[in-house]
Amino acid sequence: MASSSPAMLLLTLSILFVASVIIAVDAFSISSYHAVRNQWRQRCCAATATTSCSSSRRSTVEGPPLSTKPDYSSIHGPLGQIVDNILMSAFRTKLSERLDRSDNIIRIKDSSLATHDFAGIIELTTTMNSQYTNRTQIQEMSRDVLVSLFPPFILDRYPSWFAKPFPEFSAKMCAWATVVGGTWLMGECTVNDIPEIVDDNGGGGGGGDGKSQGVLVKRCRFLEESQCASICVNSCKIPTQNFFRHNMGLALTMTPDYETGECQFAFGKLPTEEEERLAKDTPCLMRCPSGGSMRSWHSNDRVSDENGTGSLQWLDDLRELERLIANKKEAKVQSACLLMED
Ligand SMILES: *[C@@H]1O[C@H](CO)[C@@H](O)[C@H](O)[C@H]1NC(C)=O
Ligand SMILES: *[C@@H]1O[C@H](CO)[C@@H](O)[C@H](O)[C@H]1NC(C)=O
């Protein structure tokens, strides 16, 4: 009994940290989005946007109606507004530190907005996504922010002490911690069951009985505020999954639904290659500030003209997209912001 208490305490702490990291990552993605937005708009106009937009219109997702957009600022996690503000400020601080590091190719200055202002996180995330053309770097920086939110003694021990010996318990704890620590970032969310995980024991994710191993985000604040599926994938989904897998030793699959703004977390489930390919093959949101025309820009590392004069890379991307769409007529989510193969 006595020996299990410190372990429980450590686990609880870890979970809280994980949750705040998740939240931070989400916030990170959203904030990058707005800054990027203006640049995208400019690039969009400069590049041959019309062709790109109209050709891939069927790949555009409308997203949930603005009229039903929740007042996110009034939605708080179980620990209340004060704790949420502390988590948001911590996230923002770590995010701005990471973006302004002296060894960065591009240094991004902190926002002038208050640290507990959600728009500040969106601003930074959007700026990051607009200034960095290499998605791998965006994913790595976002994951660094998550890592920096957790004390090293937790990250050093969590995989071997908890995630490996108790994968199912770890999955349930992380789901709970995600809700506790992530509501400020994602809006309303609840722990739910992932019945299909039971069949996934061969998937290498640790499995479990699926009960309380999921988190259902009703309408993700970070996605909604950033209005960009690419930011969602590169600044939130991929870095968060990688963080849990490589730093916490826990499999996680995040499945965003761009039509509704929902996002389903499944702890203990490794994404299949097909799922990851589809995820990277993101659609553009109808309200995307660039009208979706920036998809070739923000989905392709090779396009990096600082002056926004555009390049013909988008044309190649479009052809590749059409090829992809033709190849998977049945796919539910038709992709527009394609080719995020790294
Ligand atoms: C993108 O960044 C990653 C990691 O820094 C690097 O390995 C890769 O070569 C870069 N890709 C391009 C196209 O520059
Ligand atoms: C961008 O503009 C600067 C100055 O206006 C110029 O020196 C540079 O060559 C341009 N870069 C590209 C890729 O066109």
Side-chain angles (χ1 to χ4, degrees):
M1 268 311 183
S3 68
S4 73
S5 303
M8 278 300 295
L9 181 61
L10 186 55
L11 183 53
T12 309
L13 268 177
S14 321
I15 291 174
L16 278 173
F17 272 107
V18 171
S20 57
V21 168
I22 292 179
I23 294 175
V25 170
D26 277 336
F28 188 24
S29 311
I30 295 182
S31 64
S32 305
Y33 202 47
H34 281 271
V36 176
R37 176 179 301 174
N38 282 341
Q39 297 207 7
W40 279 347
R41 198 174 276 141
Q42 287 165 7
R43 292 178 192 230
C44 174
C45 299
T48 43
T50 326
T51 315
S52 177
C53 287
S54 57
S55 304
S56 36
R57 179 149 295 154
R58 60 192 167 145
S59 309
T60 304
V61 168
E62 189 148 9
L66 268 182
S67 57
T68 57
K69 181 179 173 181
D71 175 15
Y72 290 110
S73 62
S74 66
I75 299 174
H76 302 295
L79 301 181
Q81 182 172 8
I82 292 173
V83 173
D84 280 359
N85 281 346
I86 292 170
L87 291 172
M88 197 188 305
S89 296
F91 183 77
R92 162 74 174 279
T93 304
K94 294 299 182 185
L95 173 61
S96 64
E97 279 172 13
R98 181 63 187 84
L99 293 183
D100 198 18
R101 229 162 69 175
S102 60
D103 60 340
N104 284 353
I105 309 165
I106 301 161
R107 289 181 72 165
I108 295 169
K109 294 277 170 234
D110 196 7
S111 164
S112 56
L113 295 168
T115 55
H116 58 272
D117 188 335
F118 197 78
I121 290 171
I122 297 288
E123 184 185 319
L124 285 180
T125 314
T126 311
T127 307
M128 171 180 68
N129 276 273
S130 63
Q131 308 229 322
Y132 282 85
T133 50
N134 184 331
R135 290 183 306 280
T136 307
Q137 285 169 353
I138 292 173
Q139 293 161 10
E140 285 173 355
M141 286 194 293
S142 306
R143 179 172 151 205
D144 288 347
V145 174
L146 290 187
V147 169
S148 68
L149 284 165
F150 288 79
F153 76 89
I154 287 185
L155 294 181
D156 288 348
R157 290 171 183 77
Y158 195 90
S160 55
W161 287 19
F162 301 107
K164 272 229 179 75
F166 314 110
E168 190 177 325
F169 180 64
S170 291
K172 296 181 201 303
M173 287 295 275
C174 285
W176 172 80
T178 300
V179 170
V180 171
T183 302
W184 69 267
L185 179 61
M186 307 181 294
E188 196 179 335
C189 51
T190 50
V191 171
N192 68 351
D193 299 341
I194 311 286
E196 62 271 22
I197 272 189
V198 183
D199 308 321
D200 194 48
N201 285 318
D209 64 5
K211 289 219 170 58
S212 305
Q213 280 178 227
V215 173
L216 180 64
V217 179
K218 266 199 174 165
R219 183 163 167 171
C220 182
R221 181 183 195 182
F222 187 62
L223 174 61
E224 176 128 39
E225 303 285 3
S226 69
Q227 293 180 35
C228 179
S230 175
I231 287 184
C232 164
V233 168
N234 292 301
S235 306
C236 185
K237 175 184 155 66
I238 292 175
T240 307
Q241 287 179 173
N242 285 342
F243 169 78
F244 275 99
R245 183 170 178 188
H246 299 296
N247 297 95
M248 305 289 278
L250 188 65
L252 166 67
T253 300
M254 291 164 66
T255 311
D257 180 335
Y258 300 114
E259 290 286 2
T260 60
E262 271 182 13
C263 186
Q264 177 68 61
F265 286 60
F267 287 99
K269 180 180 186 298
L270 270 185
T272 63
E273 270 179 35
E274 173 69 1
E275 281 168 343
E276 285 312 88
R277 201 180 56 75
L278 281 175
K280 291 176 174 181
D281 207 8
T282 55
C284 280
L285 302 184
M286 201 77 108
R287 293 202 298 276
C288 178
S290 74
S293 56
M294 284 318 301
R295 58 180 58 103
S296 66
W297 172 76
H298 63 79
S299 64
N300 196 302
D301 293 344
R302 286 165 295 180
V303 181
S304 60
D305 53 328
E306 321 99 62
N307 297 349
T309 47
S311 84
L312 290 181
Q313 185 59 55
W314 67 269
L315 241 185
D316 293 337
D317 291 352
L318 192 60
R319 288 193 195 104
E320 179 65 10
L321 173 65
E322 276 159 4
R323 193 186 59 77
L324 273 175
I325 290 174
N327 283 351
K328 54 174 176 88
K329 288 188 197 100
E330 300 304 320
K332 255 205 307 199
V333 177
Q334 297 287 7
S335 163
C337 301
L338 71 162
L339 299 181
M340 308 204 280
E341 61 267 273
D342 36 85

